[in-house]
Amino acid sequence: MPRKNGNGMEVSRDPLLVLMAPPANESAEEKEIRIRNEKVAIARNAEIEEMLRLERVAAKKRGCIRVLLLGQSESGKSTTLKNFQLAFAPNAFRAERVSWTRIIYLNLVRSINTIIRAVSPELLGTNKSTLSSPSTSTLPSPISPLDRSHADFPLPPTAQSSAMTPSLSSSSQIPIDYTALFADLSALEGLEERLQRQLIPPDEPFPQYPANTNANGGGAGKRYTSHGEFFVYSTTGWKTAFSMLRGRGSLESRSSIDRRASVGADNGGGGGGGGDDVVGVLLEKKRAMIVLWRDERVRRALRRSSRIRLDDSAAFYLDNIDRIVQRYYEPSDDDVIRARLRTVGVQEHIIVHERQLTRDMASEWRMYDVGGTRSERAAWIPYFEHMNAIIFLAPISAFNQVLDEDRDRNRLEDSFGLYKKIVSSKLLAKVQIVLFLNKVDLFRRMINHQGISFSKYVPSYGNRPNEVESIMKYLKAKFKEISRDHSPQARTFFSYFTSVVDTQSTAVTLQIGAFFSPMCLANDDAYAV
Ligand SMILES: Nc1nc2c(ncn2[C@@H]2O[C@H](COP(=O)(O)OP(=O)(O)OP(=O)(O)O)[C@@H](O)[C@H]2O)c(=O)[nH]1
Ligand SMILES: [Mg+2]
């Protein structure tokens, strides 16, 4: 027989309703209390519903923020993007960390090959050296304005002091046979190409190096820049391929993921240390790589070589060979942040914020990372119209360097010119532009430790002191002046000194209110000031 409640109504067999139904023998007083409580609950429920409705309306209004990252090549755009991912979607960033393994190995191997090509003409001439050669603490010779190569090989602060492994220390008196060392490391040339192949979708042919390769191992091939730098068209291809390898990543054991990461698509198995898998080769060559990087004569030859062109992150990986070349290596946040893969075209990255910094902040950001070389810049324009904000990166350490694509053009001059074009664009009149004066870490080292004269390359700096703070103040004022004089309408000048390879200080920059306030507004008109 159906059960009746205190109101004489039939109680359904729905277990929830059964549970919530008033007792059959409810007294009049109990009934009154229950009805009063139910009214309070209904009112509270309506309040919550309304809050959720308002939140939905607000979220819709906030929409998603679109941010365009601009600046010359190697200014740090992609590195800044990775900082955003790490700061606001750390779980997503970390879930992808292992897919950077091959890029990191490619960076490392490319640097070793570049060093060998640069120093072998000199070192194979005399052929012998000892690891205990006199220290080379002298400053590098002055850099010609047209030669960016020396400046791209800053002696890392850790380099002279980095601890030798016990085996290396004990063998420090043994003369190095460079012919044997370079022959031993020659296997890395094939490995560089193998790693590159793994990053290219299988349906695309792999380009051949032109016959007359330059000091950096490449020429103008389909996937090489004018100075031989490898690139892929999009990050999604290699990341997707890799995540397919990972399968149900979270359910797999760490070692199974790592094993796949370490071998790439090469031979499908971890294999032993001496197999033909990528990590196997690296493990076999690990000691030779360390010997090469720590050898004083190699370093001296590097500084003298006018053709050397190492990435800014080269020293970081070379200093960490011991940690990185491991069978079950998992990249750290810093390893991923430093990984260099040149951007080509315009790449959209969606960052879904895992935590909200401010109530007004959009929960989804679309960030557009562009290739920064001159030939890429025309591709930026179609994106101008739809942006809420632009982050413009100017690497201040580039004051004594020239563009790879135009060796008559000073890189700092190029940044001034590019910034001027961006701020004066009518299409961008209402878009907030945030300037990152980047690579401050390298800049400090060049001024404080290498004693490079700023005014030698920037004559307008005049007789002012060759001091970091003074030069930074000058640079900031210069960019501010450009913004003030060339913006089609008044615009607030936002600028930050950054070293975007430093994730902690960059996170602070990204989180301070002044930076976010303009970004929080999804309405394009909100940027008119
Ligand atoms: N030391 C140091 N290195 C940096 C800094 N910012 C970027 N780098 C390094 O500079 C190199 C170029 O950085 P990317 O972020 O790839 O430059 P990009 O602007 O995206 O360059 P394109 O993709 O060619 O347009 C990488 O090796 C970075 O690790 C910095 O503040 N300090
Ligand atoms: Mg890039």
Side-chain angles (χ1 to χ4, degrees):
M1 233 182 94
R3 188 173 154 229
K4 304 230 168 137
N5 68 11
N7 300 324
M9 288 172 70
E10 198 174 283
V11 176
S12 121
R13 289 184 200 282
D14 183 319
L16 188 61
L17 289 180
V18 170
L19 201 68
M20 291 172 64
N25 55 352
E26 186 183 44
S27 70
E29 193 186 347
E30 283 169 340
K31 183 178 172 183
E32 194 186 327
I33 294 170
R34 177 177 58 78
I35 289 173
R36 206 184 315 133
N37 286 346
E38 276 175 3
K39 278 187 183 155
V40 172
I42 288 167
R44 176 77 190 124
N45 195 40
E47 252 175 51
I48 292 171
E49 285 288 330
E50 179 60 7
M51 254 172 59
L52 291 175
R53 192 187 66 79
L54 290 175
E55 179 56 32
R56 276 197 300 274
V57 171
K60 198 171 170 192
K61 209 168 136 199
R62 284 198 301 264
C64 88
I65 292 286
R66 288 185 165 77
V67 182
L68 185 59
L69 292 155
L70 298 182
Q72 64 186 207
S73 184
E74 292 185 75
S75 54
K77 300 178 294 296
S78 303
T79 314
T80 301
L81 168 80
K82 284 184 263 180
N83 273 277
F84 270 94
Q85 291 167 327
L86 178 61
F88 301 115
N91 294 331
F93 178 88
R94 294 197 170 113
E96 283 194 343
R97 259 192 332 204
V98 76
S99 60
W100 285 90
T101 306
R102 279 174 293 175
I103 306 283
I104 291 164
Y105 284 161
L106 181 59
N107 281 202
L108 175 65
V109 168
R110 178 176 141 86
S111 298
I112 294 283
N113 288 337
T114 304
I115 291 171
I116 293 173
R117 285 189 200 101
V119 303
S120 53
E122 178 178 330
L123 295 185
L124 292 182
T126 50
N127 216 20
K128 298 275 184 221
S129 162
T130 63
L131 279 174
S132 58
S133 312
S135 161
T136 53
S137 56
T138 47
L139 296 169
S141 51
I143 299 165
S144 137
L146 299 186
D147 178 11
R148 66 169 299 196
S149 44
H150 284 288
D152 277 348
F153 178 59
L155 191 63
T158 51
Q160 307 241 4
S161 58
S162 52
M164 300 282 252
T165 58
S167 58
L168 285 169
S169 307
S170 59
S171 66
S172 64
Q173 298 302 321
I174 301 171
I176 292 177
D177 178 342
Y178 291 108
T179 308
L181 181 65
F182 298 159
D184 190 19
L185 288 169
S186 63
L188 297 186
E189 283 196 13
L191 194 68
E192 184 175 342
E193 187 180 313
R194 196 159 0 135
L195 282 160
Q196 290 168 349
R197 280 181 192 282
Q198 291 178 3
L199 295 165
I200 297 177
D203 50 335
E204 284 189 38
F206 187 80
Q208 297 301 310
Y209 278 119
N212 56 339
T213 55
N214 64 16
N216 299 293
K222 185 182 163 202
R223 288 186 190 279
Y224 300 91
T225 62
S226 56
H227 65 283
E229 191 179 0
F230 175 79
F231 63 85
V232 291
Y233 284 108
S234 135
T235 53
T236 47
W238 58 269
K239 278 190 189 166
T240 311
F242 192 82
S243 48
M244 280 162 70
L245 272 179
R246 292 174 67 196
R248 296 175 174 202
S250 57
L251 300 178
E252 286 194 68
S253 70
R254 188 190 147 206
S255 60
S256 118
I257 293 171
D258 289 354
R259 191 163 54 248
R260 291 170 185 201
S262 4
V263 297
D266 229 20
N267 59 2
D276 73 348
D277 63 308
V278 168
V279 181
V281 177
L282 286 172
L283 282 168
E284 228 177 50
K285 307 300 171 196
K286 180 170 171 172
R287 190 172 180 283
M289 287 192 281
I290 295 174
V291 167
L292 178 85
W293 175 235
R294 292 185 181 170
D295 181 45
E296 296 285 348
R297 285 198 60 200
V298 167
R299 282 168 180 262
R300 275 202 297 269
L302 271 178
R303 271 195 289 264
R304 273 195 292 269
S305 168
S306 60
R307 303 175 74 201
I308 179 70
R309 164 88 167 81
L310 283 180
D311 295 335
D312 282 338
S313 45
F316 173 80
Y317 293 125
L318 290 162
D319 275 346
N320 283 284
I321 293 173
D322 206 27
R323 177 177 61 81
I324 288 170
V325 179
Q326 297 287 345
R327 172 63 63 192
Y328 301 125
Y329 162 62
E330 186 167 347
S332 66
D333 289 347
D334 282 343
D335 294 345
V336 174
I337 289 286
R338 297 263 185 170
R340 162 74 179 157
L341 182 63
R342 196 189 146 220
T343 311
V344 170
V346 179
Q347 299 177 357
E348 183 190 64
H349 299 259
I350 299 175
I351 301 182
V352 179
H353 288 231
E354 289 165 13
R355 67 197 169 91
Q356 206 79 12
L357 276 186
T358 65
R359 201 176 168 277
D360 292 336
M361 201 168 123
S363 54
E364 184 181 303
W365 285 28
R366 280 170 196 251
M367 302 200 69
Y368 297 84
D369 184 18
V370 304
T373 52
R374 271 192 183 167
S375 57
E376 301 273 346
R377 295 176 189 172
W380 302 355
I381 297 163
Y383 290 81
F384 283 4
E385 253 181 286
H386 309 288
M387 291 301 133
N388 299 110
I390 283 174
I391 298 176
F392 186 95
L393 284 111
I396 61 171
S397 62
F399 69 86
N400 64 346
Q401 301 168 2
V402 292
L403 292 180
D404 278 324
E405 60 269 37
D406 176 1
R407 299 188 69 80
D408 289 330
R409 179 73 163 165
N410 175 285
R411 288 186 70 197
L412 182 60
E413 280 298 327
D414 181 66
S415 275
F416 285 143
L418 195 51
Y419 183 71
K420 183 172 152 187
K421 277 189 186 149
I422 297 300
V423 295
S424 54
S425 161
K426 289 202 173 74
L427 275 177
L428 298 173
K430 291 180 177 179
V431 175
Q432 182 60 61
I433 298 173
V434 180
L435 174 67
F436 277 17
L437 294 153
N438 193 36
K439 301 203 181 185
V440 170
D441 58 326
L442 296 177
F443 174 75
R444 278 186 193 283
R445 197 159 68 208
M446 291 165 75
I447 301 296
N448 288 341
H449 301 294
Q450 298 177 340
I452 299 173
S453 161
F454 184 76
S455 58
K456 180 175 169 191
Y457 301 95
V458 186
S460 59
Y461 185 65
N463 291 330
R464 279 168 269 206
N466 199 51
E467 288 166 8
V468 167
E469 300 308 323
S470 166
I471 301 169
M472 282 175 28
K473 202 171 146 197
Y474 168 84
L475 286 170
K476 183 174 168 177
K478 190 114 175 140
F479 277 102
K480 190 171 182 176
E481 196 181 293
I482 294 173
S483 173
R484 190 197 58 213
D485 295 350
H486 297 279
S487 295
Q489 59 187 77
R491 182 197 310 271
T492 306
F493 177 72
F494 287 97
S495 74
Y496 298 89
F497 286 103
T498 55
S499 298
V500 295
V501 286
D502 178 345
T503 54
Q504 285 184 355
S505 70
T506 308
V508 174
T509 304
L510 300 189
Q511 287 174 15
I512 50 181
F515 181 71
F516 274 110
S517 49
M519 302 277 194
C520 290
L521 306 168
N523 178 353
D524 287 353
D525 291 337
Y527 296 103
V529 281

